[in-house]
Amino acid sequence: MDFNQLKNISSEEWDNLNSENTIWIRVGYGASGQAAGAEEIFNLLKDLSSDNENIIVSLVGSMGLSYAEPLIDIKSNDGIRVFYNNVTPDITKEIYNYLIQKNIPLSKYVLGQIVPNGRNPIDGIPELDKIEPLKYTKQIATKNFGNISPTNINHYIANGGYEGLNTALTTLDPDKTLNQVKDSGLRGRGGAAFSTGIKWSFLAGNNSNIKYILCNCEEGDPGAFNDKGILENDPHMLLEGLILAGYATGASNGHIFIRDGHEIPIENSRKAIQQAYDLNLLGENILGTGFSYDVEVSLTGDSYVAGEETALMEAIEGKRSMPRFKPPFPAAYGLWGKPSNINNVKTLSYVPYIIKEGSDKYKSIGSESSSGTAIVCLSGHIKRPGMYEIEMGMTIKNLLNNIGGGSSTNNDIKLLQTGGPLGGVLGKEDFDVKIDFDEMSKVGAILGSGGIIVADSTTDVVDLIRTLVAFNQFESCGKCFPCRLGNTHMLDILNRICNSRPNENDMDVIKKIGNSMKTGSLCGHGQLGYSPIASAIKYFKDEFDLALSANHPVDSSDEEMILPTRTRP
């Protein structure tokens, strides 16, 4: 079966769901929907509609609007989609009964509407793409979120999926495919922000018959959930990007690496892979083009360091997740000793768009040095927590106010914790900085994997930093002693400061430890261990000075607040 036949079959299924004879009810799922009770809403709607063959109820991906969950989307006979947010079982029954009886939406619970071409919008209901925060977003990797069933490959193909792969296999050779990615300016979204095309070229130049593309979805950063969000909501987007990466580099195998216990991403990825095999989009002689490629899911235990590229390979090989000495680098000696390339989920998910639409179109989006979009996760003291895809170049202030809606408390936003626990904090005096790899680097901040935790003016900065260092200490793999002992020593000092038992030279000692970690550690976990402390001192030195000046006896209740340290064997 060729690709045009696949597309015709998929389009027929999609058209049936959107026909005038069908009422299609979509319930947003994923981790945020599940946590808010979406599964109960889905089961309720299935029961309510069980005797009506013209009503179809589906679980689809989350739109990323965590604050609006549970969220349901009802397409009526006129083709207009109406979205209802924060529904409960009672509200759901009310909406359903009103729809069945009167065939019109119950407007008091409506978030917005999507109006197909040729239809008139429903009066009094805003169009979805014009509401805050969605009017400020730019969807590329997340374009299918909330629209398709993540576990239905036909939905993905009907909405343009695998067209990039078909284009590459039929009209581009591997070198041209690689050059498209290189010319797009795509930079890695895992934190390092290195040129993806150049990174791929290191692997493409190796003539080994066995080469691996590894997709890193370990994602252990507190506050970051966009990698797993892509696998929850649109795993085929990632899978298509992974196959394209294999084609461009001449790789033979791909691995999607996920932390064990995250069941929705794991299940969705495995289903997507099997569906791709069933339709000859994976395996031998893909679509009759002579290109062969295999993909599987690999799991790791609870290890933050497993996100480091060489530790990731160790985990896939069944070893303890600990970084390797470099050189040799993975492109020369990687998984099982074979040439390998490691990419983030978000990075690979942009590739289908680049190949389908062209590198120039992708490069026209974003800023001069950081093309494309960023998928950011907002949480903490913010009115509209969620996962949002925005154009690179938006300022932090606009992100917080226009998309996040500002503080969720009666207090001003004081700081952001960005780039994960190794990224540190960003004070409000730099909220005008643009979300851009280079611009953020200039003020000592990193975008990292895209997690942004918002903290208001009630936040104790010293205690927050202690919590970050405690996380880093707990997650140190222990292979190199500067990281293992350095994090432990820094946490001991911060515990003492937070419990009013400081020494006057404590911060000097911490700085010396941090410099030793930066110089002597194998990977970024140790090398960046001092970053959260350094960034906090930059913005909030007065709070550290105040904590260091405290000198009063510690009672038993204070002692219980000391965060424990853990030394790995």
Side-chain angles (χ1 to χ4, degrees):
M1 187 181 300
D2 64 23
F3 184 73
N4 287 330
Q5 291 174 305
L6 292 179
K7 191 168 182 179
N8 288 337
I9 293 171
S10 300
S11 296
E12 183 178 355
E13 179 178 332
W14 185 257
D15 290 342
N16 288 337
L17 287 169
N18 288 282
S19 70
E20 292 186 355
N21 297 322
T22 301
I23 294 175
W24 187 14
I25 303 177
R26 284 170 264 206
V27 181
Y29 199 51
S32 62
Q34 184 185 50
E39 193 165 7
E40 181 182 4
I41 301 299
F42 170 74
N43 291 330
L44 173 61
L45 286 166
K46 291 284 285 185
D47 290 341
L48 290 171
S49 62
S50 59
D51 59 352
N52 192 327
E53 61 182 17
N54 293 323
I55 297 177
I56 296 175
V57 183
S58 302
L59 279 176
V60 296
S62 167
M63 294 177 64
L65 307 178
S66 301
Y67 73 94
E69 304 282 7
L71 194 150
I72 60 176
D73 155 23
I74 301 178
K75 181 206 72 68
S76 299
N77 304 86
D78 56 8
I80 295 176
R81 296 170 62 185
V82 178
F83 295 77
Y84 303 86
N85 61 294
N86 301 121
V87 298
T88 64
D90 288 340
I91 291 174
T92 301
K93 290 178 184 177
E94 188 179 354
I95 291 169
Y96 181 85
N97 292 331
Y98 199 83
L99 175 71
I100 296 303
Q101 293 168 8
K102 301 189 178 183
N103 198 30
I104 56 176
L106 190 56
S107 58
K108 64 181 178 178
Y109 300 123
V110 167
L111 177 67
Q113 63 178 321
I114 293 179
V115 184
N117 294 332
R119 298 286 186 177
N120 294 320
I122 301 170
D123 291 339
I125 299 177
E127 294 191 43
L128 195 69
D129 61 358
K130 294 179 182 177
I131 69 168
E132 294 186 350
L134 294 180
K135 67 180 181 181
Y136 302 107
T137 61
K138 177 74 174 179
Q139 295 179 317
I140 295 178
T142 63
K143 73 182 183 71
N144 291 325
F145 284 21
N147 186 41
I148 69 171
S149 170
T151 57
N152 190 320
I153 192 172
N154 289 334
H155 288 196
Y156 180 69
I157 294 174
N159 285 275
Y162 290 107
E163 287 186 10
L165 177 62
N166 184 58
T167 297
L169 294 179
T170 57
T171 65
L172 301 174
D173 61 23
D175 285 344
K176 290 179 180 178
T177 303
L178 176 56
N179 285 333
Q180 283 285 317
V181 176
K182 192 179 295 184
D183 294 343
S184 72
L186 176 65
R187 296 169 66 174
R189 292 325 198 242
F194 188 74
S195 166
T196 302
I198 292 176
K199 187 175 185 178
W200 286 9
S201 68
F202 299 152
L203 183 65
N206 194 305
N207 295 323
S208 174
N209 291 328
I210 299 176
K211 296 192 285 189
Y212 295 100
I213 296 287
L214 310 179
C215 173
N216 186 352
C217 189
E218 194 283 328
E219 196 176 40
D221 286 4
F225 43 91
N226 40 27
D227 288 346
K228 292 185 179 70
I230 290 173
L231 298 184
E232 288 175 354
N233 302 316
D234 194 7
H236 282 286
M237 181 77 79
L238 174 278
L239 184 57
E240 183 180 0
L242 184 61
I243 301 169
L244 283 164
Y247 178 68
T249 60
S252 57
N253 297 79
H255 284 262
I256 303 174
F257 184 80
I258 311 173
R259 181 181 288 206
D260 193 14
H262 295 271
E263 296 305 325
I264 300 176
I266 293 169
E267 182 181 350
N268 285 2
S269 297
R270 285 175 169 164
K271 285 182 179 178
I273 290 169
Q274 185 57 56
Q275 289 168 355
Y277 272 111
D278 292 343
L279 298 183
N280 191 221
L281 293 166
L282 275 176
E284 295 292 325
N285 192 25
I286 294 174
L287 295 177
T289 62
F291 173 61
S292 300
Y293 191 66
D294 291 299
V295 174
E296 63 184 281
V297 172
S298 299
L299 305 182
T300 178
D302 258 352
S303 171
Y304 183 62
V305 174
E308 194 274 338
E309 60 180 13
T310 60
L312 178 152
M313 294 185 292
E314 292 285 288
I316 293 175
E317 292 177 5
K319 304 171 188 175
R320 187 173 173 184
S321 301
M322 304 174 86
R324 299 174 179 174
F325 290 97
K326 293 185 288 188
F329 293 95
Y333 186 94
L335 181 66
W336 308 114
K338 300 298 182 180
S340 305
N341 201 284
I342 298 91
N343 296 269
N344 176 265
V345 173
K346 296 181 289 296
T347 309
L348 292 170
S349 296
Y350 288 113
V351 176
Y353 179 90
I354 292 169
I355 303 304
K356 179 184 175 184
E357 301 294 338
S359 59
D360 289 342
K361 187 169 182 179
Y362 181 84
K363 196 168 185 177
S364 69
I365 301 167
S367 61
E368 185 175 349
S369 65
S370 301
S371 59
T373 62
I375 305 176
V376 296
C377 302
L378 287 179
S379 60
H381 297 144
I382 195 76
K383 283 182 181 177
R384 293 193 286 258
M387 178 172 61
Y388 303 99
E389 186 173 7
I390 60 168
E391 192 164 357
M392 284 283 194
M394 176 183 287
T395 66
I396 291 283
K397 183 179 292 183
N398 286 339
L399 172 68
L400 296 177
N401 294 332
N402 296 336
I403 290 183
S407 173
S408 59
T409 69
N410 293 323
N411 304 298
D412 293 337
I413 295 175
K414 178 178 181 177
L415 62 88
L416 308 177
Q417 201 278 302
T418 69
L422 298 169
V425 302
L426 188 71
K428 63 181 180 181
E429 52 264 51
D430 280 327
F431 284 2
D432 285 322
V433 70
K434 294 179 179 179
I435 296 176
D436 172 290
F437 296 121
D438 298 334
E439 293 298 314
M440 292 186 72
S441 178
K442 289 176 183 177
V443 298
I446 62 172
L447 180 60
S449 288
I452 298 179
I453 301 173
V454 183
D456 72 6
S457 57
T458 64
T459 302
D460 184 324
V461 174
V462 182
D463 190 54
L464 171 64
I465 296 303
R466 176 177 66 152
T467 302
L468 296 177
V469 173
F471 177 90
N472 295 335
Q473 189 276 337
F474 187 85
E475 291 293 346
S476 173
C477 76
K479 181 169 185 176
C480 46
F481 73 85
C483 177
R484 180 179 72 241
L485 300 180
N487 275 308
T488 299
H489 196 177
M490 288 196 302
L491 180 57
D492 287 341
I493 295 172
L494 288 168
N495 273 331
R496 192 171 65 245
I497 293 172
C498 287
N499 286 276
S500 303
R501 298 188 306 185
N503 295 327
E504 60 180 15
N505 63 341
D506 274 344
M507 299 314 296
D508 291 334
V509 173
I510 285 181
K511 185 175 182 180
K512 289 179 181 179
I513 295 170
N515 288 333
S516 296
M517 291 169 62
K518 183 176 181 179
T519 303
S521 298
L522 267 178
C523 77
H525 193 84
Q527 294 163 5
L528 299 174
Y530 180 63
S531 295
I533 302 172
S535 62
I537 292 173
K538 172 185 175 182
Y539 294 106
F540 304 102
K541 185 177 183 300
D542 57 334
E543 295 196 27
F544 278 89
D545 290 341
L546 182 62
L548 289 167
S549 68
N551 189 15
H552 61 77
V554 181
D555 61 29
S556 58
S557 62
D558 287 331
E559 288 283 5
E560 291 173 1
M561 292 176 62
I562 295 177
L563 294 175
T565 60
R566 177 181 73 168
T567 301
R568 292 185 184 271

